[in-house]
């Protein structure tokens, strides 16, 4: 029987990164994966394919709407959807091969099949009706998450789709109805809207992007509406009639009241994700789950059973690839006897639309609720030189700092490249930096990042260009 120091179940960003770090630390490692390809949700049906389509559709839109004003004259772009899907697939294949390469390079055994935990130190791997048992000193559960479903609405991945189906539609829907105004819904809505779909988003809450800073979310909603999105907030989809050529969705006010019917060619159900633990044998192995079905862990990623750990989407916390990766590194280091750690106060979140939205640390609402006295510094991209010459002035930077100490508590950006700009705030916050530190850091000119420095200056009411 094969024996290992560590067996990781699942090869998403949490699992494969954990395996690589453990191998670097000298452990004999195997990964178990039930999917045909490595890389998990992120590489196959999540982050990467969505970003490929966001990029390609943005180029399509730019060519149609922005080139002419810059003096670049091209005939109206024509959409070749199969070619765009092929572009997406090439990106997926390249990244999946990259993970395969990392496994080989680090001498990590890849065991294809469904992993089931038989108890401390024992995993069964089953594929094609055959199974093998392997022994290991430690097990890391990195089985990720699955789409959340709406009761009574069956996802067929053709007309009623999850994010997975929405990444592979074979034609642009005339009307796309999106259930849920979270990150994934708005990103995929942007893709299909740019390619020509009419998009209506129905959201249960009275705001979009729940959890993000309210002021940023409001501005983002206005920008999306200007782009052509329609929103129905404080409303829920309770049924979808699939009997006709066009889908008929029943939409009711969240607070109760008269229902209305919305027609659509495709309905995208994007109401979140749920931890994936099916077939893992957790109950039999005695691994405890929390009230929301996530694997329960302590501060060191240890489950209720000795030698079994869990990370990523299958445990509590933001369902983000980089959070899973950092947990993967931390748990490998802990198993190796080191002091692995994740700072949950500094985990950035990005919405990869145009403009992008990015955020790290506390929102204004959270600070208010916690009774923390804070100062705000804001700077709009309309006053940033680089944004002006590029004519991409939507959005602003917002910095929240402790009123007494000036320590930066949260940074929120809406604007082009916001997803890249957030990281200087992450580094600053990781080192407990102040708005003054950021304001006194030289920023290259002309960059959009100068708006971050100006917002830091604005915390002390001394922005130069405003
Ligand atoms: C459309 C979409 C877009 C997204 N965009 C972003 C983004 O831009 N940025 C971001 O940070 N996050 C994004 N996410 C979220 C991100 O994909 C997840 O947070 C991330 O993949 C979680 O990583 P993980 O390693 O925990 O699990 P996963 O990536 O879900 O991987 C789990 C793996 O475990 C395998 N597995 C499960 N059970 C077993 C078993 N019993 N035996 C063997 N293998 C098993 C699965 O097949 C899977 O390969 C997106 C998600 C979606 C759906």
């Amino acid at each position: 029987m094969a024996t290992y120091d560590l067996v990781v179940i699942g090869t998403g960003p949490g699992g494969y990164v954990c395996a690589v770090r453990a191998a670097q630390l000298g452990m004999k490692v195997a990964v178990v994966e039930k999917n045909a390809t490595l890389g998990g949700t992120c590489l196959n049906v999540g982050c990467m394919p969505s970003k490929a389509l966001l990029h390609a559709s943005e180029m399509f839109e730019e060519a149609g709407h922005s080139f002419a004003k810059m003096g670049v004259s091209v005939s109206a772009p024509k959409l070749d959807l199969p070619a765009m899907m092929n572009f997406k697939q090439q990106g997926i294949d390249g990244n999946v091969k990259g993970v395969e390469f990392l496994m080989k390079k680090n001498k990590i055994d890849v065991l294809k099949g469904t992993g089931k935990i038989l108890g401390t130190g024992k995993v069964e791997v089953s594929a094609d009706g055959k199974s093998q048992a392997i022994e290991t000193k430690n097990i890391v559960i990195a089985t990720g998450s699955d789409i959340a479903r709406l009761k009574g609405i069956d996802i067929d991945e053709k007309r009623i789709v999850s994010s997975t189906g929405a990444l592979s539609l074979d034609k642009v829907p005339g009307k796309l109805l999106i259930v849920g105004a979270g990150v994934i819904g708005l990103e995929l809505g942007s893709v299909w809207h740019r390619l020509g779909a009419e998009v209506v988003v129905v959201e249960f809450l009275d705001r979009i992007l729940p959890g993000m800073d309210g002021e940023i979310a409001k501005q983002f909603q206005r920008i999306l509406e200007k782009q052509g999105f329609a929103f129905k907030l404080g409303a829920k989809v309770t049924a979808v009639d699939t009997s006709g050529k066009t889908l008929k969705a029943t939409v009711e006010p969240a607070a109760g009241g008269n229902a209305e019917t919305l027609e659509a060619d495709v309905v995208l159900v994007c109401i979140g994700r749920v931890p994936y633990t099916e077939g893992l044998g957790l109950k039999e192995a005695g691994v405890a789950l929390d009230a929301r079905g996530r694997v329960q862990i302590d501060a060191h990623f240890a489950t209720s059973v000795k030698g079994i750990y869990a990370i990523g989407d299958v445990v509590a916390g933001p369902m983000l690839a980089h959070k899973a990766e950092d947990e993967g590194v931390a748990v490998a280091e802990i198993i190796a006897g080191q002091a692995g750690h994740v700072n949950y106060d500094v985990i950035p979140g990005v919405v990869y639309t145009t403009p992008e939205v990015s955020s790290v640390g506390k929102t204004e609402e959270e600070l208010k609720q916690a009774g923390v006295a804070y100062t705000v510094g804001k700077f709009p991209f309309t006053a940033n030189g680089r944004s002006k010459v590029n004519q991409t002035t939507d959005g602003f930077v917002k910095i929240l700092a402790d009123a007494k100490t000036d320590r930066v508590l949260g940074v929120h950006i809406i604007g082009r490249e916001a997803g890249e700009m957030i990281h200087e705030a992450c580094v600053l916050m990781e080192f407990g930096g102040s708005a003054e530190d950021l304001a006194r850091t030289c920023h290259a000119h002309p960059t959009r990042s100068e708006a971050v420095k100006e917002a830091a200056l604005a915390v002390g009411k001394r922005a130069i260009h405003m």
Side-chain angles (χ1 to χ4, degrees), residues 234 236 252-259:
K236 57 183 179 183
E252 290 175 21
N258 290 342

Side-chain angles (χ1 to χ4, degrees), residues 27 64 152 211 274 336 348 352 356 390 404:
M27 288 181 232
V274 291
Y352 295 86
E356 291 183 342
N390 287 358
K404 267 200 219 110

Side-chain angles (χ1 to χ4, degrees), residues 348-352 355-360 379-381 384 386-387 390 392-399 411-429 438 443-444 446-455:
V350 178
V351 191
Y352 295 86
E356 291 183 342
V357 180
S358 65
S359 155
V360 62
F379 192 82
F381 286 106
N384 169 262
R386 183 70 181 276
S387 306
N390 287 358
T392 50
T393 51
D394 272 342
F396 62 97
V397 180
K398 172 174 177 177
I399 297 183
V411 177
H412 308 277
I413 309 175
I414 176 165
R416 289 262 176 156
E417 291 143 38
E420 300 294 337
M421 280 188 276
I422 197 70
H423 297 103
E424 65 169 308
C426 297
V427 175
L428 179 92
M429 289 171 69
L438 190 47
H443 283 63
T447 56
R448 295 175 62 78
S449 294
E450 285 174 290
V452 178
K453 176 186 167 123
E454 289 273 9

Side-chain angles (χ1 to χ4, degrees), residues 44-356:
N44 293 284
V45 289
C47 323
M48 304 317 293
S50 59
K51 264 77 258 177
L53 290 183
L54 278 158
H55 175 66
S57 61
E58 187 182 12
M59 293 300 104
F60 178 75
E61 194 180 66
E62 292 266 290
H65 293 103
S66 306
F67 280 14
K69 71 177 180 196
M70 292 185 277
V72 182
S73 177
V74 290
S75 47
K78 265 178 43 199
L79 176 65
D80 181 347
L81 191 57
M84 196 177 277
M85 289 297 164
N86 190 35
F87 170 78
K88 175 201 75 175
Q89 193 57 45
Q90 283 172 8
I92 295 174
D93 294 345
N95 279 316
V96 164
K97 280 204 186 93
V99 176
E100 282 167 11
F101 164 78
L102 289 176
M103 297 299 103
K104 271 200 196 101
K105 182 184 167 208
N106 289 284
K107 301 188 172 45
I108 296 163
D109 287 346
V110 175
L111 310 174
K112 286 280 175 75
T114 301
K116 183 174 175 189
I117 298 173
L118 301 178
T120 299
K122 276 211 176 74
V123 176
E124 181 187 71
V125 183
S126 309
D128 306 326
K130 287 188 204 132
S131 60
Q132 58 166 319
I134 47 177
E135 281 192 347
T136 174
K137 289 186 190 134
N138 301 282
I139 298 168
V140 170
I141 301 167
T143 49
S145 59
D146 193 10
I147 50 172
R149 288 159 203 277
L150 263 177
K151 219 172 136 205
I153 299 178
D154 290 333
I155 291 174
D156 62 11
E157 297 296 14
K158 292 217 154 48
R159 294 207 295 165
I160 303 182
V161 297
S162 71
S163 56
T164 302
L167 288 166
S168 295
L169 297 179
D170 57 10
K171 65 173 195 273
V172 179
K175 279 190 185 166
L176 173 64
L177 189 145
I178 301 176
V179 191
V183 178
I184 297 175
L186 297 180
E187 286 185 357
L188 293 173
S190 286
V191 167
W192 292 108
H193 182 258
R194 290 167 187 167
L195 300 182
E198 198 181 301
V199 173
V200 180
V201 184
V202 178
E203 165 61 50
F204 186 81
L205 300 175
D206 60 0
R207 54 162 294 172
I208 67 168
L209 289 183
M212 285 248 186
D213 188 89
E215 189 183 8
I216 294 271
K218 263 201 196 118
Q219 169 96 343
F220 187 46
Q221 186 182 334
R222 274 197 291 269
I223 292 171
L224 289 177
E225 280 168 345
K226 223 165 72 188
Q227 289 176 7
F229 272 59
F231 289 96
K232 278 200 173 292
L233 304 181
K236 57 183 179 183
V237 174
T238 52
V240 180
D241 177 358
T242 57
S243 59
K245 212 170 152 241
T246 311
L247 300 170
K248 291 191 176 62
T250 308
V251 181
E252 290 175 21
N258 290 342
E260 62 174 318
T261 303
L262 291 185
E263 296 202 345
D265 299 294
V266 172
V267 171
L268 163 58
V269 180
C270 248
I271 53 163
R273 296 184 61 83
V274 291
Y276 187 82
T277 55
E278 209 181 294
L280 260 178
L282 295 186
K283 201 167 174 210
E284 298 84 337
V287 175
L289 302 182
D290 69 14
R292 291 168 62 180
R294 303 171 294 199
V295 178
Q296 205 169 304
I297 49 166
D298 66 11
H300 297 103
F301 309 101
T303 69
S304 53
V305 178
K306 202 172 169 339
I308 305 180
Y309 303 81
I311 56 164
D313 278 11
V314 80
V315 302
M319 286 184 164
L320 292 169
H322 42 284
K323 175 259 194 189
E325 289 185 41
D326 283 8
E327 288 182 341
V329 169
V331 76
E333 292 175 348
I334 287 169
I335 292 169
Q338 299 185 356
H341 173 72
V342 176
N343 180 2
Y344 291 98
D345 289 334
V346 185
I347 295 188
V350 178
V351 191
Y352 295 86
T353 41
T354 305
E356 291 183 342

